[in-house]
Amino acid sequence: MSRHIQITFDAHDPRALSSFWRDALGYVHPGPPGVDVPEGADPLAAWDDFLARIGVPEDQRNTRSAIEDPDGHGPRVFFQQVPEDKVAKNRVHLDVRAAPGLQGGERMAALEAECDRLVSLGATRVRRFEPTPPLSAGLIVMTDPEGNEFCLD
């Protein structure tokens, strides 16, 4: 029997980091429990209202955030606030499949376009690895706004 997983990020700013990954992955912020967020409304604003209504102090309202696949297929991604800085290379990282089915120059052009989009959202480009068939189709290493490494492949 397979298991469903949730990916958890430690973060200084869970709301900002979840917003980056929401846009990077095409995910959505879910609404608060028991709250129907109307189409086009901001779920983060709904969370602010919900947390205020249940008495969560303002300085504790950015301690957690989450994003979900709107199609329900991908894992939920959870962001939790931690006080410590990231001090070393992460031991687990995400590979974002940005060019499925493409090969060679067409694939690398698609990866470059996605790299440019993610840089505009706050990511940092680290290094490009050229295709080396048959073992690698090429990839671009990046970091998110808090320095977590991931790959476009």
Side-chain angles (χ1 to χ4, degrees):
M1 178 169 123
S2 68
R3 304 278 192 246
H4 293 275
I5 65 165
Q6 171 175 279
I7 298 166
T8 300
F9 280 79
D10 289 347
H12 281 291
D13 186 344
R15 176 178 253 183
L17 195 57
S18 70
S19 293
F20 168 81
W21 281 105
R22 174 201 62 208
D23 295 343
L25 300 176
Y27 272 39
V28 297
H29 283 108
V35 175
D36 182 31
V37 180
E39 182 77 29
D42 180 7
L44 292 177
W47 272 103
D48 288 339
D49 293 343
F50 175 80
L51 294 171
R53 193 169 57 254
I54 65 170
V56 174
E58 192 169 344
D59 66 339
Q60 295 178 25
R61 294 182 194 162
N62 188 25
T63 60
R64 304 169 181 82
S65 190
I67 57 173
E68 297 175 348
D69 178 352
D71 299 324
H73 301 295
R76 182 176 190 261
V77 185
F78 181 71
F79 302 84
Q80 62 186 3
Q81 190 174 57
V82 296
E84 66 272 3
D85 290 329
K86 180 181 174 299
V87 295
K89 183 180 186 296
N90 34 311
R91 300 280 306 261
V92 175
H93 72 259
L94 302 182
D95 289 335
V96 179
R97 305 294 169 135
L102 300 179
Q103 298 290 323
E106 186 180 17
R107 172 187 169 77
M108 295 310 292
L111 295 181
E112 288 291 351
E114 183 64 0
C115 177
D116 290 346
R117 185 181 79 85
L118 296 178
V119 166
S120 76
L121 296 173
T124 301
R125 179 192 181 108
V126 176
R127 184 172 176 199
R128 175 177 161 149
F129 288 88
E130 296 301 323
T132 55
L135 298 178
S136 173
L139 60 102
I140 298 174
V141 179
M142 303 188 74
T143 59
D144 72 15
E146 290 201 13
N148 301 299
E149 187 175 288
F150 67 98
C151 293
L152 293 179
D153 81 353

